Amino acid sequence: MITRDIIIHDILIPSLKRLYQMDYDNIRFRASERNICARLAHHMENIMREYDCSNNSYYFCNYYADVEYNRMGNGDLKRYKNSEHRPQYMVSDLVIHSRGYERNYLAVEMKRKGNYRKAKDDRERLASMVSPAPHGMHDRCVHDTLVGAFIIYGVEGVKIELFENVNGRGENTETFEIFQ
């Protein structure tokens, strides 16, 4: 069974380290956030396949790391609940998901250090995505994502804020840094 520790310690952190090893010039020369997300997704998908191979597992065989994915399993536009509890259209910077109806493993929102435009909205979106679905209701929003990660990256390293379901609410549960 997939756990938060597998997602964080075996997929997310190694992917970020590989990003800094292989694509540091993109970060150093301030390539677009979209480029950095795409490179991170590339490394994540490779590490997911490597994980399954080395652990003789199939956890990730039907999962993908997609950048700016905006669809639900049935093709509907992806939505989250904003602070007023109203559904809002969304595009995730990066998501590890099945492209179907299975639970999302990871949702990522990224910002270059110093660019905090809409950071509050990104954090709100992650909190909504990891929160459970309302009981007995289908509100056509993304819920129950295993882990959310708000990532601030720069030439000196990465700061990660994790979001998880805590007592029925999406909350920031841990913050840590990985230095270059």
Side-chain angles (χ1 to χ4, degrees), residues 26 29 31 44 55 57 65 71 97 99 101 105-107 113 128 139 147 149 151 157 163 165 167 174:
N26 289 3
F29 296 135
M44 274 186 181
N55 290 284
S57 68
R71 299 291 170 187
H97 65 135
R99 296 182 185 155
Y101 296 101
Y105 287 157
L106 176 69
K113 186 175 181 179
S128 175
D139 61 4
V147 179
I151 297 173
F163 288 80
N165 176 7
N167 299 322
E174 186 178 354

Side-chain angles (χ1 to χ4, degrees), residues 14-42:
S15 298
L16 285 164
K17 288 180 178 181
R18 194 173 289 178
L19 174 75
Y20 272 76
Q21 290 167 350
M22 299 180 77
D23 296 297
Y24 182 71
D25 282 346
N26 289 3
I27 295 166
R28 186 168 60 114
F29 296 135
R30 300 176 58 85
S32 72
E33 178 184 302
R34 197 171 300 135
N35 171 269
I36 302 303
C37 286
R39 296 304 302 157
L40 180 60
H42 168 76

Side-chain angles (χ1 to χ4, degrees), residues 4 15 25 36 38 41 76 80 86 96 111 140 144 146 150 152 155 166 174:
R4 78 178 284 285
S15 298
D25 282 346
I36 302 303
D76 288 343
Y80 76 101
R86 294 186 183 149
I96 294 178
K111 292 286 183 220
R140 303 176 74 96
D144 295 315
L146 183 60
F150 184 75
I152 301 169
V155 294
V166 177
E174 186 178 354

Side-chain angles (χ1 to χ4, degrees), residues 24-71:
Y24 182 71
D25 282 346
N26 289 3
I27 295 166
R28 186 168 60 114
F29 296 135
R30 300 176 58 85
S32 72
E33 178 184 302
R34 197 171 300 135
N35 171 269
I36 302 303
C37 286
R39 296 304 302 157
L40 180 60
H42 168 76
H43 299 306
M44 274 186 181
E45 220 166 84
N46 287 333
I47 288 172
M48 288 161 42
R49 305 299 172 244
E50 292 165 13
Y51 180 90
D52 275 349
C53 187
S54 65
N55 290 284
N56 198 26
S57 68
Y58 298 97
Y59 294 141
F60 296 104
C61 68
N62 292 316
Y63 277 76
Y64 304 88
D66 280 329
V67 174
E68 299 203 6
Y69 200 81
N70 67 343
R71 299 291 170 187

Side-chain angles (χ1 to χ4, degrees), residues 2-4 6-8 11-13 15-16 40-41 44 48 60 63-66 78 92-98 103-109 126 129-130 142 144-151 160-164:
I2 280 294
T3 65
R4 78 178 284 285
I6 291 171
I7 295 299
I8 295 165
I11 306 300
L12 178 61
I13 292 172
S15 298
L16 285 164
L40 180 60
M44 274 186 181
M48 288 161 42
F60 296 104
Y63 277 76
Y64 304 88
D66 280 329
K78 195 180 280 191
S92 299
D93 282 349
L94 192 160
V95 63
I96 294 178
H97 65 135
S98 68
R103 181 183 198 184
N104 292 342
Y105 287 157
L106 176 69
V108 173
E109 295 293 338
L126 289 169
M129 290 176 72
V130 300
V142 177
D144 295 315
T145 300
L146 183 60
V147 179
F150 184 75
I151 297 173
I160 303 169
E161 298 173 19
L162 296 178
F163 288 80
E164 298 175 82

